[in-house]
Short mmCIF file of all heavy atoms in Angstrom, two decimals:
data_model
loop_
_atom_site.label_atom_id
_atom_site.label_comp_id
_atom_site.label_asym_id
_atom_site.label_seq_id
_atom_site.Cartn_x
_atom_site.Cartn_y
_atom_site.Cartn_z
N MET X 1 21.68 -1.29 -1.41
CA MET X 1 21.40 -0.38 -2.51
C MET X 1 20.69 0.86 -1.96
O MET X 1 19.99 0.79 -0.97
CB MET X 1 20.50 -1.05 -3.55
CG MET X 1 21.11 -2.27 -4.23
SD MET X 1 19.97 -3.09 -5.38
CE MET X 1 20.14 -2.05 -6.79
N THR X 2 20.83 1.97 -2.66
CA THR X 2 20.13 3.20 -2.29
C THR X 2 18.77 3.22 -2.98
O THR X 2 18.49 2.42 -3.88
CB THR X 2 20.93 4.43 -2.75
OG1 THR X 2 20.98 4.44 -4.17
CG2 THR X 2 22.33 4.45 -2.15
N PHE X 3 17.92 4.16 -2.57
CA PHE X 3 16.61 4.29 -3.20
C PHE X 3 16.76 4.65 -4.67
O PHE X 3 16.02 4.16 -5.52
CB PHE X 3 15.76 5.33 -2.47
CG PHE X 3 14.31 5.28 -2.87
CD1 PHE X 3 13.48 4.29 -2.40
CD2 PHE X 3 13.80 6.23 -3.74
CE1 PHE X 3 12.15 4.24 -2.78
CE2 PHE X 3 12.47 6.18 -4.13
CZ PHE X 3 11.64 5.18 -3.65
N GLU X 4 17.76 5.47 -4.97
CA GLU X 4 18.00 5.85 -6.37
C GLU X 4 18.37 4.62 -7.20
O GLU X 4 18.01 4.54 -8.37
CB GLU X 4 19.11 6.90 -6.47
CG GLU X 4 18.73 8.25 -5.94
CD GLU X 4 18.95 8.38 -4.43
OE1 GLU X 4 19.35 7.40 -3.76
OE2 GLU X 4 18.68 9.47 -3.90
N GLN X 5 19.09 3.68 -6.62
CA GLN X 5 19.46 2.47 -7.33
C GLN X 5 18.30 1.48 -7.44
O GLN X 5 18.19 0.75 -8.41
CB GLN X 5 20.64 1.78 -6.62
CG GLN X 5 21.91 2.57 -6.68
CD GLN X 5 22.97 2.02 -5.74
OE1 GLN X 5 22.68 1.66 -4.60
NE2 GLN X 5 24.20 1.94 -6.24
N ILE X 6 17.45 1.46 -6.44
CA ILE X 6 16.36 0.48 -6.41
C ILE X 6 15.17 0.92 -7.26
O ILE X 6 14.40 0.09 -7.74
CB ILE X 6 15.96 0.18 -4.94
CG1 ILE X 6 15.48 -1.26 -4.79
CG2 ILE X 6 14.89 1.10 -4.43
CD1 ILE X 6 16.54 -2.29 -4.84
N LEU X 7 14.99 2.23 -7.46
CA LEU X 7 13.84 2.73 -8.21
C LEU X 7 13.74 2.15 -9.62
O LEU X 7 12.65 1.71 -10.02
CB LEU X 7 13.84 4.26 -8.24
CG LEU X 7 12.60 4.92 -8.82
CD1 LEU X 7 11.34 4.47 -8.10
CD2 LEU X 7 12.74 6.43 -8.75
N PRO X 8 14.81 2.08 -10.41
CA PRO X 8 14.69 1.44 -11.73
C PRO X 8 14.28 -0.03 -11.63
O PRO X 8 13.58 -0.54 -12.51
CB PRO X 8 16.08 1.57 -12.34
CG PRO X 8 16.73 2.69 -11.60
CD PRO X 8 16.14 2.66 -10.22
N GLU X 9 14.69 -0.70 -10.56
CA GLU X 9 14.30 -2.10 -10.36
C GLU X 9 12.81 -2.21 -10.07
O GLU X 9 12.13 -3.12 -10.57
CB GLU X 9 15.12 -2.72 -9.22
CG GLU X 9 16.61 -2.64 -9.40
CD GLU X 9 17.11 -3.43 -10.60
OE1 GLU X 9 16.44 -4.38 -11.04
OE2 GLU X 9 18.21 -3.11 -11.10
N LEU X 10 12.29 -1.28 -9.28
CA LEU X 10 10.84 -1.23 -9.03
C LEU X 10 10.09 -1.00 -10.33
O LEU X 10 9.08 -1.65 -10.60
CB LEU X 10 10.50 -0.13 -8.02
CG LEU X 10 10.75 -0.44 -6.56
CD1 LEU X 10 10.77 0.84 -5.74
CD2 LEU X 10 9.70 -1.40 -6.04
N LYS X 11 10.58 -0.06 -11.14
CA LYS X 11 9.95 0.24 -12.43
C LYS X 11 9.98 -0.95 -13.37
O LYS X 11 9.12 -1.09 -14.24
CB LYS X 11 10.61 1.45 -13.08
CG LYS X 11 10.31 2.76 -12.37
CD LYS X 11 11.01 3.91 -13.06
CE LYS X 11 10.68 5.23 -12.42
NZ LYS X 11 11.33 6.36 -13.11
N ALA X 12 10.97 -1.82 -13.20
CA ALA X 12 11.09 -3.03 -14.04
C ALA X 12 10.25 -4.19 -13.49
O ALA X 12 10.29 -5.29 -14.04
CB ALA X 12 12.55 -3.44 -14.15
N GLY X 13 9.51 -3.96 -12.41
CA GLY X 13 8.62 -4.99 -11.88
C GLY X 13 9.19 -5.82 -10.74
O GLY X 13 8.54 -6.77 -10.28
N LYS X 14 10.37 -5.45 -10.24
CA LYS X 14 10.97 -6.21 -9.14
C LYS X 14 10.32 -5.84 -7.81
O LYS X 14 9.76 -4.76 -7.65
CB LYS X 14 12.48 -5.93 -9.06
CG LYS X 14 13.26 -6.22 -10.31
CD LYS X 14 13.53 -7.70 -10.44
CE LYS X 14 14.22 -8.07 -11.73
NZ LYS X 14 15.61 -7.71 -11.82
N LYS X 15 10.41 -6.75 -6.85
CA LYS X 15 9.96 -6.52 -5.48
C LYS X 15 11.19 -6.22 -4.64
O LYS X 15 12.23 -6.85 -4.81
CB LYS X 15 9.25 -7.76 -4.96
CG LYS X 15 7.98 -8.08 -5.73
CD LYS X 15 7.38 -9.38 -5.26
CE LYS X 15 6.15 -9.72 -6.08
NZ LYS X 15 5.62 -11.04 -5.75
N VAL X 16 11.06 -5.24 -3.74
CA VAL X 16 12.21 -4.80 -2.94
C VAL X 16 11.84 -4.72 -1.47
O VAL X 16 10.65 -4.66 -1.12
CB VAL X 16 12.76 -3.45 -3.45
CG1 VAL X 16 13.16 -3.53 -4.91
CG2 VAL X 16 11.75 -2.33 -3.25
N ILE X 17 12.87 -4.67 -0.64
CA ILE X 17 12.68 -4.57 0.80
C ILE X 17 13.92 -3.89 1.39
O ILE X 17 14.97 -3.88 0.76
CB ILE X 17 12.45 -5.97 1.43
CG1 ILE X 17 11.90 -5.88 2.84
CG2 ILE X 17 13.70 -6.80 1.39
CD1 ILE X 17 10.48 -5.49 2.93
N ARG X 18 13.78 -3.38 2.60
CA ARG X 18 14.92 -2.83 3.32
C ARG X 18 15.37 -3.82 4.38
O ARG X 18 14.55 -4.39 5.09
CB ARG X 18 14.55 -1.52 4.01
CG ARG X 18 14.48 -0.36 3.05
CD ARG X 18 14.45 0.97 3.76
NE ARG X 18 15.55 1.07 4.70
CZ ARG X 18 15.52 1.85 5.79
NH1 ARG X 18 14.46 2.57 6.07
NH2 ARG X 18 16.55 1.89 6.60
N ASN X 19 16.67 -4.00 4.52
CA ASN X 19 17.22 -4.87 5.56
C ASN X 19 16.89 -4.33 6.95
O ASN X 19 16.75 -5.10 7.89
CB ASN X 19 18.73 -5.00 5.43
CG ASN X 19 19.13 -5.96 4.34
OD1 ASN X 19 18.41 -6.89 4.02
ND2 ASN X 19 20.28 -5.73 3.75
N GLY X 20 16.77 -3.02 7.10
CA GLY X 20 16.56 -2.40 8.40
C GLY X 20 15.15 -2.50 8.94
O GLY X 20 14.90 -2.09 10.08
N TRP X 21 14.21 -3.03 8.18
CA TRP X 21 12.84 -3.17 8.68
C TRP X 21 12.72 -4.36 9.61
O TRP X 21 13.50 -5.29 9.56
CB TRP X 21 11.87 -3.27 7.51
CG TRP X 21 11.64 -1.95 6.82
CD1 TRP X 21 11.94 -0.72 7.28
CD2 TRP X 21 11.06 -1.77 5.54
NE1 TRP X 21 11.59 0.24 6.37
CE2 TRP X 21 11.03 -0.39 5.28
CE3 TRP X 21 10.55 -2.62 4.58
CZ2 TRP X 21 10.52 0.15 4.12
CZ3 TRP X 21 10.04 -2.08 3.41
CH2 TRP X 21 10.02 -0.70 3.18
N SER X 22 11.67 -4.37 10.42
CA SER X 22 11.53 -5.34 11.51
C SER X 22 11.32 -6.78 11.06
O SER X 22 11.60 -7.69 11.82
CB SER X 22 10.36 -4.92 12.41
OG SER X 22 9.14 -5.00 11.69
N GLY X 23 10.79 -7.00 9.88
CA GLY X 23 10.59 -8.37 9.42
C GLY X 23 9.17 -8.69 9.02
O GLY X 23 8.91 -9.65 8.31
N ALA X 24 8.18 -7.91 9.47
CA ALA X 24 6.80 -8.15 9.07
C ALA X 24 6.56 -7.71 7.63
O ALA X 24 5.68 -8.23 6.96
CB ALA X 24 5.84 -7.41 10.01
N GLU X 25 7.38 -6.77 7.17
CA GLU X 25 7.26 -6.29 5.81
C GLU X 25 7.83 -7.33 4.86
O GLU X 25 8.96 -7.76 5.00
CB GLU X 25 8.00 -4.97 5.62
CG GLU X 25 7.53 -3.86 6.51
CD GLU X 25 8.18 -3.84 7.89
OE1 GLU X 25 8.96 -4.75 8.21
OE2 GLU X 25 7.89 -2.91 8.66
N LEU X 26 7.02 -7.75 3.88
CA LEU X 26 7.46 -8.78 2.94
C LEU X 26 8.13 -8.18 1.71
O LEU X 26 9.17 -8.65 1.28
CB LEU X 26 6.27 -9.65 2.53
CG LEU X 26 5.59 -10.39 3.68
CD1 LEU X 26 4.34 -11.11 3.19
CD2 LEU X 26 6.54 -11.34 4.36
N TYR X 27 7.51 -7.15 1.13
CA TYR X 27 8.11 -6.47 -0.02
C TYR X 27 7.31 -5.23 -0.40
O TYR X 27 6.17 -5.07 0.00
CB TYR X 27 8.23 -7.39 -1.24
CG TYR X 27 6.92 -7.97 -1.72
CD1 TYR X 27 6.08 -7.26 -2.57
CD2 TYR X 27 6.52 -9.24 -1.32
CE1 TYR X 27 4.89 -7.79 -3.01
CE2 TYR X 27 5.33 -9.78 -1.77
CZ TYR X 27 4.51 -9.06 -2.61
OH TYR X 27 3.33 -9.59 -3.04
N VAL X 28 7.96 -4.37 -1.17
CA VAL X 28 7.34 -3.20 -1.79
C VAL X 28 7.36 -3.45 -3.29
O VAL X 28 8.32 -3.98 -3.83
CB VAL X 28 8.13 -1.91 -1.47
CG1 VAL X 28 7.60 -0.72 -2.25
CG2 VAL X 28 8.09 -1.62 0.03
N LYS X 29 6.29 -3.05 -3.97
CA LYS X 29 6.25 -3.15 -5.42
C LYS X 29 5.57 -1.92 -5.99
O LYS X 29 4.85 -1.20 -5.28
CB LYS X 29 5.55 -4.42 -5.88
CG LYS X 29 4.06 -4.44 -5.67
CD LYS X 29 3.46 -5.73 -6.21
CE LYS X 29 1.95 -5.70 -6.23
NZ LYS X 29 1.39 -6.88 -6.90
N LEU X 30 5.82 -1.65 -7.26
CA LEU X 30 5.21 -0.53 -7.96
C LEU X 30 4.06 -1.07 -8.80
O LEU X 30 4.22 -2.04 -9.55
CB LEU X 30 6.24 0.15 -8.88
CG LEU X 30 5.74 1.31 -9.72
CD1 LEU X 30 5.29 2.48 -8.85
CD2 LEU X 30 6.82 1.76 -10.70
N VAL X 31 2.90 -0.45 -8.65
CA VAL X 31 1.73 -0.80 -9.47
C VAL X 31 1.68 0.21 -10.61
O VAL X 31 1.70 1.42 -10.38
CB VAL X 31 0.44 -0.77 -8.64
CG1 VAL X 31 -0.77 -1.07 -9.52
CG2 VAL X 31 0.53 -1.75 -7.48
N SER X 32 1.64 -0.30 -11.83
CA SER X 32 1.67 0.56 -13.01
C SER X 32 0.39 1.38 -13.18
O SER X 32 -0.63 1.10 -12.57
CB SER X 32 1.87 -0.30 -14.26
OG SER X 32 3.06 -1.01 -14.19
N GLU X 33 0.49 2.34 -14.06
CA GLU X 33 -0.66 3.17 -14.41
C GLU X 33 -1.80 2.28 -14.90
O GLU X 33 -1.58 1.27 -15.55
CB GLU X 33 -0.24 4.14 -15.53
CG GLU X 33 -1.32 5.08 -15.99
CD GLU X 33 -0.83 6.01 -17.08
OE1 GLU X 33 0.11 6.78 -16.82
OE2 GLU X 33 -1.38 5.94 -18.18
N GLY X 34 -3.00 2.66 -14.57
CA GLY X 34 -4.17 1.89 -15.00
C GLY X 34 -5.40 2.77 -15.04
O GLY X 34 -5.30 4.00 -15.21
N GLN X 35 -6.54 2.13 -14.86
CA GLN X 35 -7.81 2.85 -14.82
C GLN X 35 -8.66 2.34 -13.67
O GLN X 35 -8.58 1.16 -13.30
CB GLN X 35 -8.59 2.66 -16.12
CG GLN X 35 -8.13 3.54 -17.24
CD GLN X 35 -9.23 3.71 -18.29
OE1 GLN X 35 -10.08 2.86 -18.45
NE2 GLN X 35 -9.18 4.82 -19.00
N HIS X 36 -9.46 3.23 -13.12
CA HIS X 36 -10.41 2.87 -12.07
C HIS X 36 -11.65 3.72 -12.27
O HIS X 36 -11.56 4.95 -12.35
CB HIS X 36 -9.80 3.10 -10.68
CG HIS X 36 -10.71 2.70 -9.58
ND1 HIS X 36 -10.97 1.39 -9.28
CD2 HIS X 36 -11.44 3.44 -8.72
CE1 HIS X 36 -11.81 1.34 -8.28
NE2 HIS X 36 -12.11 2.58 -7.91
N ASP X 37 -12.81 3.10 -12.37
CA ASP X 37 -14.08 3.79 -12.61
C ASP X 37 -13.99 4.73 -13.82
O ASP X 37 -14.52 5.84 -13.82
CB ASP X 37 -14.51 4.59 -11.38
CG ASP X 37 -14.95 3.71 -10.23
OD1 ASP X 37 -15.29 2.52 -10.47
OD2 ASP X 37 -14.96 4.19 -9.08
N GLY X 38 -13.26 4.29 -14.85
CA GLY X 38 -13.15 5.06 -16.07
C GLY X 38 -12.19 6.23 -16.02
O GLY X 38 -12.08 7.01 -16.96
N GLU X 39 -11.49 6.37 -14.91
CA GLU X 39 -10.53 7.47 -14.73
C GLU X 39 -9.11 6.91 -14.70
O GLU X 39 -8.89 5.77 -14.29
CB GLU X 39 -10.79 8.22 -13.42
CG GLU X 39 -12.12 8.93 -13.35
CD GLU X 39 -12.18 10.18 -14.22
OE1 GLU X 39 -11.13 10.82 -14.42
OE2 GLU X 39 -13.27 10.51 -14.68
N LYS X 40 -8.16 7.75 -15.09
CA LYS X 40 -6.75 7.37 -15.04
C LYS X 40 -6.32 7.13 -13.60
O LYS X 40 -6.64 7.91 -12.70
CB LYS X 40 -5.89 8.47 -15.65
CG LYS X 40 -4.41 8.17 -15.62
CD LYS X 40 -3.60 9.32 -16.21
CE LYS X 40 -2.12 9.07 -16.04
NZ LYS X 40 -1.32 10.19 -16.50
N LEU X 41 -5.62 6.04 -13.38
CA LEU X 41 -5.05 5.72 -12.08
C LEU X 41 -3.54 5.81 -12.22
O LEU X 41 -2.93 5.06 -12.98
CB LEU X 41 -5.47 4.31 -11.65
CG LEU X 41 -5.01 3.83 -10.29
CD1 LEU X 41 -5.57 4.72 -9.18
CD2 LEU X 41 -5.44 2.39 -10.06
N ASN X 42 -2.93 6.76 -11.52
CA ASN X 42 -1.49 6.96 -11.59
C ASN X 42 -0.74 5.82 -10.89
O ASN X 42 -1.29 5.19 -9.99
CB ASN X 42 -1.10 8.30 -10.97
CG ASN X 42 -1.59 9.46 -11.80
OD1 ASN X 42 -1.42 9.47 -13.01
ND2 ASN X 42 -2.23 10.42 -11.17
N PRO X 43 0.51 5.57 -11.27
CA PRO X 43 1.30 4.53 -10.59
C PRO X 43 1.42 4.83 -9.10
O PRO X 43 1.40 5.98 -8.67
CB PRO X 43 2.67 4.63 -11.27
CG PRO X 43 2.43 5.32 -12.56
CD PRO X 43 1.27 6.23 -12.33
N TYR X 44 1.54 3.75 -8.31
CA TYR X 44 1.68 3.89 -6.87
C TYR X 44 2.43 2.69 -6.31
O TYR X 44 2.53 1.65 -6.95
CB TYR X 44 0.32 4.04 -6.18
CG TYR X 44 -0.64 2.91 -6.46
CD1 TYR X 44 -0.77 1.84 -5.57
CD2 TYR X 44 -1.42 2.90 -7.61
CE1 TYR X 44 -1.65 0.80 -5.83
CE2 TYR X 44 -2.31 1.87 -7.87
CZ TYR X 44 -2.42 0.82 -6.97
OH TYR X 44 -3.29 -0.21 -7.23
N PHE X 45 2.97 2.87 -5.11
CA PHE X 45 3.68 1.79 -4.42
C PHE X 45 2.73 1.06 -3.48
O PHE X 45 1.89 1.68 -2.83
CB PHE X 45 4.83 2.34 -3.56
CG PHE X 45 5.95 2.96 -4.32
CD1 PHE X 45 6.23 4.30 -4.19
CD2 PHE X 45 6.74 2.20 -5.17
CE1 PHE X 45 7.28 4.88 -4.88
CE2 PHE X 45 7.80 2.77 -5.87
CZ PHE X 45 8.06 4.12 -5.72
N LEU X 46 2.89 -0.27 -3.42
CA LEU X 46 2.19 -1.09 -2.43
C LEU X 46 3.23 -1.79 -1.58
O LEU X 46 4.31 -2.14 -2.07
CB LEU X 46 1.34 -2.17 -3.11
CG LEU X 46 0.03 -1.78 -3.73
CD1 LEU X 46 -0.66 -3.01 -4.33
CD2 LEU X 46 -0.90 -1.12 -2.72
N ILE X 47 2.89 -2.00 -0.31
CA ILE X 47 3.73 -2.81 0.55
C ILE X 47 2.89 -3.98 1.04
O ILE X 47 1.71 -3.82 1.35
CB ILE X 47 4.30 -1.99 1.74
CG1 ILE X 47 5.31 -2.82 2.52
CG2 ILE X 47 3.22 -1.43 2.61
CD1 ILE X 47 6.15 -2.04 3.51
N ASN X 48 3.49 -5.16 1.03
CA ASN X 48 2.83 -6.36 1.54
C ASN X 48 3.40 -6.64 2.92
O ASN X 48 4.60 -6.82 3.08
CB ASN X 48 3.08 -7.53 0.60
CG ASN X 48 2.24 -8.73 0.94
OD1 ASN X 48 1.68 -8.84 2.01
ND2 ASN X 48 2.14 -9.65 0.00
N VAL X 49 2.52 -6.66 3.91
CA VAL X 49 2.91 -6.88 5.30
C VAL X 49 2.29 -8.19 5.77
O VAL X 49 1.09 -8.40 5.60
CB VAL X 49 2.46 -5.70 6.20
CG1 VAL X 49 2.83 -5.95 7.65
CG2 VAL X 49 3.04 -4.40 5.70
N SER X 50 3.11 -9.05 6.34
CA SER X 50 2.66 -10.36 6.80
C SER X 50 1.47 -10.24 7.74
O SER X 50 1.50 -9.47 8.71
CB SER X 50 3.82 -11.07 7.51
OG SER X 50 3.43 -12.33 7.96
N GLY X 51 0.40 -10.95 7.45
CA GLY X 51 -0.79 -10.96 8.29
C GLY X 51 -1.73 -9.79 8.07
O GLY X 51 -2.83 -9.78 8.60
N GLU X 52 -1.30 -8.79 7.30
CA GLU X 52 -2.13 -7.61 7.06
C GLU X 52 -2.52 -7.43 5.61
O GLU X 52 -3.46 -6.73 5.30
CB GLU X 52 -1.41 -6.35 7.55
CG GLU X 52 -1.18 -6.33 9.05
CD GLU X 52 -0.49 -5.06 9.51
OE1 GLU X 52 -0.62 -4.03 8.83
OE2 GLU X 52 0.19 -5.12 10.54
N GLY X 53 -1.75 -8.01 4.70
CA GLY X 53 -2.01 -7.83 3.27
C GLY X 53 -1.33 -6.59 2.72
O GLY X 53 -0.31 -6.15 3.23
N TYR X 54 -1.93 -6.04 1.68
CA TYR X 54 -1.36 -4.88 1.00
C TYR X 54 -1.90 -3.57 1.55
O TYR X 54 -3.06 -3.48 1.94
CB TYR X 54 -1.71 -4.91 -0.50
CG TYR X 54 -0.97 -5.94 -1.29
CD1 TYR X 54 -1.61 -7.10 -1.71
CD2 TYR X 54 0.36 -5.76 -1.63
CE1 TYR X 54 -0.94 -8.05 -2.45
CE2 TYR X 54 1.04 -6.70 -2.38
CZ TYR X 54 0.38 -7.85 -2.79
OH TYR X 54 1.06 -8.78 -3.51
N THR X 55 -1.05 -2.55 1.51
CA THR X 55 -1.46 -1.18 1.79
C THR X 55 -0.59 -0.27 0.93
O THR X 55 0.47 -0.67 0.46
CB THR X 55 -1.33 -0.85 3.30
OG1 THR X 55 -1.98 0.40 3.55
CG2 THR X 55 0.11 -0.77 3.73
N MET X 56 -1.05 0.95 0.74
CA MET X 56 -0.25 1.92 -0.02
C MET X 56 1.02 2.22 0.76
O MET X 56 1.03 2.22 1.99
CB MET X 56 -1.03 3.22 -0.24
CG MET X 56 -2.29 3.02 -1.03
SD MET X 56 -2.42 3.74 -2.66
CE MET X 56 -1.36 5.07 -2.76
N PHE X 57 2.09 2.48 0.02
CA PHE X 57 3.39 2.77 0.63
C PHE X 57 3.92 4.08 0.09
O PHE X 57 3.98 4.30 -1.11
CB PHE X 57 4.38 1.65 0.32
CG PHE X 57 5.78 1.93 0.78
CD1 PHE X 57 6.10 1.87 2.12
CD2 PHE X 57 6.77 2.28 -0.12
CE1 PHE X 57 7.39 2.13 2.56
CE2 PHE X 57 8.07 2.54 0.30
CZ PHE X 57 8.38 2.46 1.64
N THR X 58 4.28 4.96 1.01
CA THR X 58 4.96 6.20 0.67
C THR X 58 6.29 6.20 1.40
O THR X 58 6.31 6.16 2.63
CB THR X 58 4.12 7.44 1.10
OG1 THR X 58 2.84 7.37 0.49
CG2 THR X 58 4.83 8.72 0.72
N PRO X 59 7.41 6.21 0.66
CA PRO X 59 8.70 6.18 1.33
C PRO X 59 8.90 7.41 2.21
O PRO X 59 8.56 8.52 1.82
CB PRO X 59 9.72 6.16 0.20
CG PRO X 59 8.97 6.17 -1.07
CD PRO X 59 7.52 6.27 -0.78
N THR X 60 9.44 7.18 3.40
CA THR X 60 9.79 8.28 4.29
C THR X 60 11.15 8.84 3.88
O THR X 60 11.85 8.27 3.06
CB THR X 60 9.86 7.80 5.75
OG1 THR X 60 10.95 6.88 5.85
CG2 THR X 60 8.57 7.14 6.19
N VAL X 61 11.54 9.93 4.50
CA VAL X 61 12.87 10.49 4.27
C VAL X 61 13.92 9.44 4.63
O VAL X 61 14.91 9.25 3.91
CB VAL X 61 13.08 11.79 5.07
CG1 VAL X 61 14.52 12.26 5.00
CG2 VAL X 61 12.14 12.88 4.55
N CYS X 62 13.72 8.74 5.74
CA CYS X 62 14.66 7.68 6.14
C CYS X 62 14.76 6.60 5.07
O CYS X 62 15.86 6.11 4.78
CB CYS X 62 14.24 7.06 7.47
SG CYS X 62 14.41 8.18 8.86
N ASP X 63 13.63 6.20 4.47
CA ASP X 63 13.64 5.20 3.40
C ASP X 63 14.41 5.71 2.18
O ASP X 63 15.19 4.98 1.58
CB ASP X 63 12.22 4.83 2.96
CG ASP X 63 11.44 4.10 4.04
OD1 ASP X 63 12.05 3.32 4.80
OD2 ASP X 63 10.21 4.29 4.11
N ILE X 64 14.19 6.96 1.82
CA ILE X 64 14.84 7.54 0.64
C ILE X 64 16.35 7.67 0.85
O ILE X 64 17.13 7.46 -0.08
CB ILE X 64 14.21 8.90 0.29
CG1 ILE X 64 12.76 8.68 -0.18
CG2 ILE X 64 15.01 9.63 -0.78
CD1 ILE X 64 11.94 9.93 -0.32
N LEU X 65 16.77 7.97 2.07
CA LEU X 65 18.20 8.14 2.36
C LEU X 65 18.91 6.84 2.73
O LEU X 65 20.13 6.81 2.78
CB LEU X 65 18.38 9.17 3.48
CG LEU X 65 17.90 10.58 3.16
CD1 LEU X 65 18.05 11.48 4.39
CD2 LEU X 65 18.64 11.16 1.97
N ALA X 66 18.16 5.78 2.94
CA ALA X 66 18.75 4.51 3.36
C ALA X 66 19.57 3.87 2.24
O ALA X 66 19.31 4.10 1.06
CB ALA X 66 17.65 3.55 3.79
N ASP X 67 20.53 3.05 2.65
CA ASP X 67 21.33 2.33 1.65
C ASP X 67 21.25 0.81 1.87
O ASP X 67 22.13 0.07 1.48
CB ASP X 67 22.79 2.80 1.67
CG ASP X 67 23.47 2.57 3.00
OD1 ASP X 67 22.84 2.03 3.93
OD2 ASP X 67 24.65 2.93 3.10
N ASP X 68 20.16 0.37 2.52
CA ASP X 68 19.99 -1.05 2.80
C ASP X 68 18.85 -1.71 2.00
O ASP X 68 18.31 -2.73 2.39
CB ASP X 68 19.80 -1.29 4.29
CG ASP X 68 18.52 -0.66 4.85
OD1 ASP X 68 17.90 0.17 4.15
OD2 ASP X 68 18.16 -0.99 6.00
N TRP X 69 18.49 -1.11 0.88
CA TRP X 69 17.47 -1.69 0.01
C TRP X 69 18.05 -2.91 -0.72
O TRP X 69 19.23 -2.93 -1.07
CB TRP X 69 17.02 -0.67 -1.04
CG TRP X 69 16.13 0.40 -0.48
CD1 TRP X 69 16.53 1.65 -0.08
CD2 TRP X 69 14.73 0.34 -0.27
NE1 TRP X 69 15.46 2.36 0.37
CE2 TRP X 69 14.33 1.58 0.26
CE3 TRP X 69 13.77 -0.64 -0.46
CZ2 TRP X 69 13.01 1.87 0.59
CZ3 TRP X 69 12.45 -0.36 -0.15
CH2 TRP X 69 12.09 0.88 0.37
N LYS X 70 17.20 -3.91 -0.93
CA LYS X 70 17.63 -5.07 -1.70
C LYS X 70 16.46 -5.62 -2.50
O LYS X 70 15.28 -5.42 -2.14
CB LYS X 70 18.19 -6.16 -0.79
CG LYS X 70 17.20 -6.79 0.14
CD LYS X 70 17.84 -7.87 0.99
CE LYS X 70 16.80 -8.51 1.90
NZ LYS X 70 17.36 -9.60 2.70
N ILE X 71 16.77 -6.28 -3.59
CA ILE X 71 15.78 -6.94 -4.44
C ILE X 71 15.51 -8.31 -3.84
O ILE X 71 16.43 -9.01 -3.42
CB ILE X 71 16.32 -7.09 -5.88
CG1 ILE X 71 16.62 -5.72 -6.47
CG2 ILE X 71 15.32 -7.86 -6.74
CD1 ILE X 71 17.41 -5.77 -7.75
N ILE X 72 14.23 -8.71 -3.81
CA ILE X 72 13.90 -10.05 -3.35
C ILE X 72 13.31 -10.83 -4.52
O ILE X 72 12.77 -10.26 -5.46
CB ILE X 72 12.95 -10.04 -2.15
CG1 ILE X 72 11.62 -9.39 -2.50
CG2 ILE X 72 13.58 -9.33 -0.97
CD1 ILE X 72 10.56 -9.67 -1.47
N GLU X 73 13.42 -12.11 -4.44
CA GLU X 73 12.89 -12.97 -5.51
C GLU X 73 11.52 -13.45 -5.19
O GLU X 73 11.11 -13.63 -4.13
CB GLU X 73 13.83 -14.17 -5.72
CG GLU X 73 15.25 -13.75 -6.07
CD GLU X 73 15.40 -12.84 -7.28
OE1 GLU X 73 14.69 -13.06 -8.29
OE2 GLU X 73 16.19 -11.91 -7.23
#
């Protein structure tokens, strides 16, 4: 799938990954809008990496142009 195809799946709460990644990456997910310290918190992507936990994820140009995205269960 392309990033354009996977984005609605992320918005629907699905976890996704790219086949082309090395394997330490478990999944990417979208965190919905919320609040932090009384301020609006805009939606953001998180990536779960084996042994490291979560970190913020910003897709690169390669990620956006890739067609190897897939939904994981």
Side-chain angles (χ1 to χ4, degrees):
M1 297 176 81
T2 65
F3 193 77
E4 290 86 358
Q5 293 168 317
I6 212 74
L7 188 56
E9 304 296 337
L10 281 163
K11 289 179 177 181
K14 303 281 176 73
K15 296 175 182 174
V16 302
I17 195 74
R18 283 194 52 206
N19 282 331
W21 285 344
S22 65
E25 300 86 355
L26 300 174
Y27 59 84
V28 173
K29 71 178 190 174
L30 178 64
V31 177
S32 300
E33 181 179 299
Q35 279 202 334
H36 182 73
D37 290 340
E39 295 287 330
K40 179 182 174 184
L41 182 62
N42 291 313
Y44 56 96
F45 294 116
L46 283 181
I47 187 167
N48 190 344
V49 178
S50 180
E52 296 181 26
Y54 287 105
T55 191
M56 299 247 336
F57 174 74
T58 303
T60 65
V61 171
C62 291
D63 293 326
I64 293 169
L65 297 176
D67 61 0
D68 64 347
W69 286 97
K70 66 179 181 178
I71 300 168
I72 62 166
E73 302 304 320

